[in-house]
């Protein structure tokens, strides 16, 4: 590329005469590398943007699905109350069962003790009779 006539001298007729070729090549290599990095970053940003847009679309769809569904909180509340009543009944039954088990255990202990005492008395009486 020739320089403008007003910029030309005997030693400078073209751009190559003004710029050191080795420096230009180094600059050119750096510029190309920088341009590739910028291109790569731009592509990454575009991919991230698409990923974010996809996620946003999924979230928006979920929100729309929730809006369309009518949740009957009254029915849920009633169901919870019914379950609480059933739970209390089960607790009462468990308490009664525990109480009954204790009574049976005491009765068995009494019977075993009574039976043991009778057996012991019979053994003593049999020994005394001999």
């Amino acid at each position: 590329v020739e320089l403008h006539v007003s910029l030309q001298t005997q030693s400078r007729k073209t751009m190559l005469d003004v710029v050191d070729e080795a420096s230009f090549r180094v600059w050119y290599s750096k510029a190309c590398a920088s341009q590739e990095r910028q291109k790569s970053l731009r592509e990454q940003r575009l991919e991230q943007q698409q990923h974010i847009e996809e996620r946003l679309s999924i979230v928006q769809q979920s929100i729309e699905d929730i809006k369309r569904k009518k949740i009957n909180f009254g029915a849920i509340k009633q169901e919870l109350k019914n379950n609480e009543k059933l739970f209390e009944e089960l607790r009462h039954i468990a308490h009664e069962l525990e109480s009954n088990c204790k009574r049976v255990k005491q009765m068995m202990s009494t019977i075993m003790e009574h039976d043991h005492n009778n057996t012991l008395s019979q053994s003593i009486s049999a020994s005394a009779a001999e």
Side-chain angles (χ1 to χ4, degrees), residues 19-128:
V19 176
D20 176 40
E21 188 175 344
S23 297
F24 178 75
R25 290 184 188 276
V26 170
W27 171 85
Y28 179 77
S29 295
K30 287 181 182 178
C32 287
S34 176
Q35 189 176 23
E36 286 299 316
R37 277 194 308 274
Q38 289 175 1
K39 181 180 176 185
S40 175
L41 288 173
R42 185 176 63 245
E43 288 172 355
Q44 286 177 357
R45 277 190 234 114
L46 286 173
E47 287 175 9
Q48 288 174 346
Q49 181 182 0
Q50 288 173 344
H51 181 72
I52 290 170
E53 287 174 353
E54 289 171 4
R55 294 288 181 177
L56 182 60
S57 175
I58 291 169
V59 169
Q60 286 174 335
Q61 185 62 43
S62 296
I63 290 170
E64 290 302 316
D65 288 346
I66 290 170
K67 285 180 180 179
R68 275 183 278 174
K69 292 179 183 175
K70 294 188 179 189
I71 300 172
N72 187 346
F73 289 104
I76 293 171
K77 185 177 179 180
Q78 187 61 43
E79 185 73 23
L80 287 174
K81 284 182 181 179
N82 292 341
N83 289 339
E84 284 176 354
K85 288 177 186 175
L86 291 173
F87 180 72
E88 286 302 319
E89 286 180 33
L90 286 172
R91 283 180 59 180
H92 179 70
I93 291 169
H95 179 69
E96 289 295 319
L97 181 61
E98 182 182 10
S99 177
N100 289 341
C101 285
K102 285 180 183 177
R103 267 191 260 137
V104 168
K105 185 177 177 183
Q106 288 172 348
M107 290 172 81
M108 290 299 291
S109 292
T110 304
I111 290 170
M112 295 296 281
E113 188 178 309
H114 180 66
D115 188 42
H116 178 61
N117 286 342
N118 283 344
T119 305
L120 189 58
S121 295
Q122 288 174 359
S123 295
I124 292 173
S125 297
S127 296

